[in-house]
Amino acid sequence: MAAGNLIDGRVIAEQIHAETAQRVWALKSRGIEPKQVFVRVGEDPASKVYVGMKEKTSARLGIASETRVLPETTTEADLLAIIGQLNADRSVHGILVQAPLPKHISESRVFAAVAPDKDVDGFHPINVGKLMLGDETGFRPCTPAGVHELLIRSNVKIAGAGVVVLGRGNIVGKPMAAILCQKSHHADATVTICHSRTGDVADHCRRADIVIAAMGVPEFVKADMVKPGAVVIDVGVNRIADSSAKNGSRLVGDVDFTRVQPIAGLITPNPGGVGPMTIAMLLANTTRAAELATR
Ligand code: GUN
């Protein structure tokens, strides 16, 4: 469904899944079974949902997966030991440790422990460095890579565009900016990162041809912050109280969708925009890890 000015992430994700499924089939015809392992520590409700969706979609594409569920009390040393075993296991091509981790575990040490050639999340410092350098042999983090694909496959002109990225997190904001500012095909944008200490965020947004909201503030991007015709991508997933909802809360993005949609040239719905793309890029990364491991 490409209704009006909507960028339908579900449709584009299905296109990528179809391409990935072909590659999985090619691997299997050579006797190679692509496999990834998800590691989830504790019972964070959102993480349970995300890992469950990743497992289900893996199965649909013929990628084997296994989820290691570890108790909240797992020590960092135990988690690092498990990652070490998965690194050494030749049947495992991709490893994903779901964030957030419990407070007593260092995410950066854990991400750095995953073998870079199995780091389908793109969080290892080597892959982060390759992304910055424009070295395409690394793995790109799934959410910003998914946003990039959404823009490309929606024929958005990125070269020369003014892009505002809202948020400077390691999972989305920083890698997003790095992808779009590269001197390369489908990049070459002029990128501004805005964050909690930016003076006049609205002023930056109003000048942007593309706004990518990934700061985790419910419905932050308002209609008067968007230039008419601009492309608006909503990465946010925020749970807010809603007494009229069955469980007392509902999910909203970082964009005030109802008011921004009439002004935007193109806009992602939320849900159904960026979310499905994250999984599509993960499975593409895992398939690539299997292809590279078995060349
Ligand atoms: N938590 C939120 N987004 C992500 C992601 O892309 N990968 C992992 N591992 N954890 C996350």
Side-chain angles (χ1 to χ4, degrees):
M1 181 195 67
N5 62 349
L6 288 186
I7 297 178
D8 192 327
R10 292 194 177 110
V11 167
I12 297 173
E14 283 306 322
Q15 291 166 2
I16 294 169
H17 288 327
E19 294 160 16
T20 303
Q22 286 277 327
R23 291 162 60 194
V24 170
W25 183 84
L27 283 164
K28 288 189 168 177
S29 69
R30 292 198 283 132
I32 297 150
E33 168 123 35
K35 179 177 177 185
Q36 63 191 336
V37 175
F38 305 117
V39 181
R40 179 163 68 70
V41 186
E43 298 300 320
D44 177 67
S47 292
K48 283 165 109 165
V49 173
Y50 291 142
V51 172
M53 291 194 304
K54 289 170 187 174
E55 277 179 329
K56 244 174 73 182
T57 318
S58 292
R60 182 153 71 82
L61 299 197
I63 297 173
S65 76
E66 179 189 322
T67 300
R68 303 277 178 96
V69 180
L70 308 175
E72 183 83 24
T73 50
T74 303
T75 64
E76 186 176 303
D78 285 346
L79 178 56
L80 293 174
I82 289 167
I83 292 169
Q85 287 161 12
L86 295 171
N87 285 343
D89 182 341
R90 290 174 58 92
S91 75
V92 174
H93 305 106
I95 301 168
L96 182 146
V97 183
Q98 185 67 29
L101 290 170
K103 297 248 174 317
H104 63 276
I105 298 178
S106 154
E107 268 178 15
S108 59
R109 274 197 293 271
V110 167
F111 293 149
V114 174
D117 56 350
K118 297 188 179 187
D119 171 36
V120 290
D121 248 335
F123 293 165
H124 189 284
I126 286 190
N127 286 317
V128 176
K130 284 183 172 181
L131 177 61
M132 286 306 293
L133 294 168
D135 175 343
E136 293 178 1
T137 65
F139 290 104
R140 303 190 305 171
C142 305
T143 300
V147 171
H148 193 213
E149 281 296 323
L150 277 184
L151 295 173
I152 292 168
R153 293 177 190 237
S154 304
N155 296 315
V156 173
K157 185 174 174 292
I158 303 172
V163 178
V164 163
V165 177
L166 300 171
R168 57 176 154 185
N170 290 332
I171 293 183
V172 186
K174 278 194 268 182
M176 187 78 253
I179 288 171
L180 295 175
C181 74
Q182 292 303 319
K183 187 174 179 63
S184 78
H185 193 49
H186 292 314
D188 280 328
T190 303
V191 183
T192 303
I193 302 184
C194 296
H195 48 73
S196 51
R197 302 297 295 269
T198 300
D200 191 345
V201 177
D203 188 51
H204 285 288
C205 286
R206 274 192 290 269
R207 282 186 271 127
D209 304 303
I210 302 171
V211 176
I212 301 170
M215 81 292 236
V217 179
E219 299 181 329
F220 177 87
V221 177
K222 305 291 185 200
D224 65 356
M225 294 165 67
V226 173
K227 178 166 77 176
V231 176
V232 180
I233 306 289
D234 187 359
V235 184
V237 182
N238 309 291
R239 188 164 285 285
I240 61 165
D242 179 354
S243 53
S244 70
K246 248 190 294 175
N247 61 354
S249 70
R250 67 190 163 96
L251 293 175
V252 296
D254 286 356
V255 175
D256 183 354
F257 179 84
T258 314
R259 295 186 183 86
V260 173
Q261 187 193 11
I263 290 158
L266 287 172
I267 186 167
T268 54
N270 191 344
V274 175
M277 293 299 291
T278 296
I279 298 184
M281 301 317 287
L282 170 68
L283 301 183
N285 275 353
T286 302
T287 304
R288 185 157 154 260
E291 290 165 350
L292 293 172
T294 56
R295 265 192 312 202

